Amino acid sequence: MRIIQISDTHLSPGKAHFTDNWAPLADWIAQQRPDLVIHTGDVTVDGADVEEDLRYTAELLRGLGARFRAVPGNHDVGDAGHVSQPVSEERLERWRVHFGLDRWVEDVEDWRLIGFDAMLLGSGGHEETLQTRWLEAVMHDAGGRRIAWFLHRPLFLGRPDESDTGYWSVKPQPRSLLFQLLRRHAVALVASGHLHKAHDFVRDGTRYIWAPSSAFLVGPAMKAPPMPGENRLGAVVYEFGGRTIEARIVAVPGLSRHWIDDVAQEVYPRRPDK
Ligand SMILES: [Fe+2]
Ligand SMILES: [Fe+2]
């Protein structure tokens, strides 16, 4: 069972700065013949405010010729506690119209893959409560399958007990609740996006994979805190067989190495965390 994870495509018909990377990505995916494609968010440049971005990008994904699942990123549905783009029921509804539910389960081989909406974490609303109950239930009902999580934002940058990193990783309070679940059910894999960095490591028996973006790299102008990982574009190829997994972060031929630093004023005139 071959699954391809892509992330942070940041596509839009109105802001086409990264659109040139879609065709090589789509061609490469077709050659890989995956059973499933998982997109870990920031599918769009600004689906949180521009519905056309969601419509256009969902159409592109449907054109891949492979089944796909997606979880939203901050640019798709807004973010918990964001000043100008808070995640809201209206934004979630728009996402769901074009991409389906923002949380899902896929049982493959002896694995249960669980995608969920990192933008709800710490939002404190009804939707977060529903998602928490759902997550506990689908993990409880996994029937002995190994568990893999797919979400946009990584749980942490350096250490699970690190303090608040702001925009970059899950806030400490929802993180600690997730870690209780992760430990109780021995989650084997946590796959995320958001950082536009490639990283693959094991911590306390759980493998963490940061999928690179296929759109752009993040340079010093974005003032990210120090973090591990490589500045490269690409995707992740998973082979699930029985209870085992092989995963490789790979380059995708033909991607242009855009840097957000060069176009941030045009693409995101407001800083994304403000
Ligand atoms: Fe992104
Ligand atoms: Fe993001």
Side-chain angles (χ1 to χ4, degrees):
M1 177 92 183
R2 175 174 293 171
I3 295 179
I4 288 181
Q5 181 189 2
I6 59 175
S7 204
D8 296 86
T9 44
H10 291 260
L11 292 162
S12 161
K15 292 185 173 177
H17 298 70
F18 316 114
T19 305
D20 61 335
N21 278 347
W22 178 255
L25 180 67
D27 289 349
W28 173 81
I29 289 171
Q31 287 163 18
Q32 297 295 312
R33 300 178 145 296
D35 298 290
L36 179 69
V37 174
I38 296 176
H39 196 311
T40 40
D42 284 355
V43 181
T44 63
V45 167
D46 192 20
D49 277 341
V50 181
E51 184 164 9
E52 191 53 30
D53 282 15
L54 295 169
R55 184 179 298 115
Y56 168 83
T57 310
E59 198 58 41
L60 288 180
L61 279 161
R62 277 194 287 275
L64 285 176
R67 212 160 66 76
F68 74 88
R69 289 284 205 176
V71 289
N74 46 302
H75 291 295
D76 305 317
V77 298
D79 204 350
H82 195 283
V83 175
S84 55
Q85 276 189 335
V87 64
S88 65
E89 296 203 3
E90 190 187 341
R91 290 190 163 105
L92 287 172
E93 192 47 46
R94 278 206 299 266
W95 166 271
R96 289 168 182 171
V97 164
H98 297 285
F99 287 94
L101 262 187
D102 49 327
R103 51 180 180 264
W104 43 260
V105 168
E106 289 277 342
D107 288 337
V108 301
E109 301 279 337
D110 290 333
W111 288 78
R112 170 158 285 193
L113 317 184
I114 302 174
F116 61 97
D117 187 346
M119 301 306 113
L120 286 173
L121 301 172
S123 64
H126 180 56
E127 281 289 336
E128 185 182 18
T129 306
L130 290 178
Q131 175 167 271
T132 303
R133 283 195 205 130
W134 170 90
L135 186 57
E136 286 172 355
V138 296
M139 293 185 64
H140 182 263
D141 298 341
R145 292 186 191 88
R146 299 189 80 194
I147 290 174
W149 283 354
F150 291 83
L151 76 169
H152 180 61
R153 183 171 265 143
L155 298 184
F156 59 91
L157 298 183
R159 293 181 4 214
D161 61 350
E162 72 195 7
S163 56
D164 190 347
T165 66
Y167 175 72
W168 305 94
S169 64
V170 172
K171 299 279 186 203
Q173 196 262 346
R175 184 203 296 146
S176 73
L177 295 175
L178 285 172
F179 263 97
Q180 287 175 22
L181 262 184
L182 178 145
R183 292 188 182 113
R184 191 183 315 149
H185 296 279
V187 172
L189 169 72
V190 179
S192 55
H194 184 58
L195 300 175
H196 295 234
K197 282 199 155 189
H199 196 29
D200 179 355
F201 64 102
V202 175
R203 176 112 199 181
D204 302 326
T206 300
R207 187 167 181 183
Y208 294 85
I209 293 186
W210 296 358
S213 165
S214 59
F216 61 80
L217 302 166
V218 174
M222 297 299 108
K223 297 189 168 33
M227 66 178 84
E230 268 182 90
N231 257 332
R232 54 185 278 204
L233 299 177
V236 190
V237 181
Y238 298 92
E239 304 280 355
F240 288 88
R243 296 181 68 77
T244 67
I245 180 182
E246 283 174 31
R248 281 176 301 132
I249 298 172
V250 297
V252 172
L255 295 186
S256 303
R257 282 171 57 90
H258 300 293
W259 290 85
I260 189 64
D261 310 43
D262 300 334
V263 291
Q265 289 307 319
E266 284 173 38
V267 181
Y268 293 115
R270 248 187 342 251
R271 268 187 58 109
D273 51 343
K274 298 287 187 310

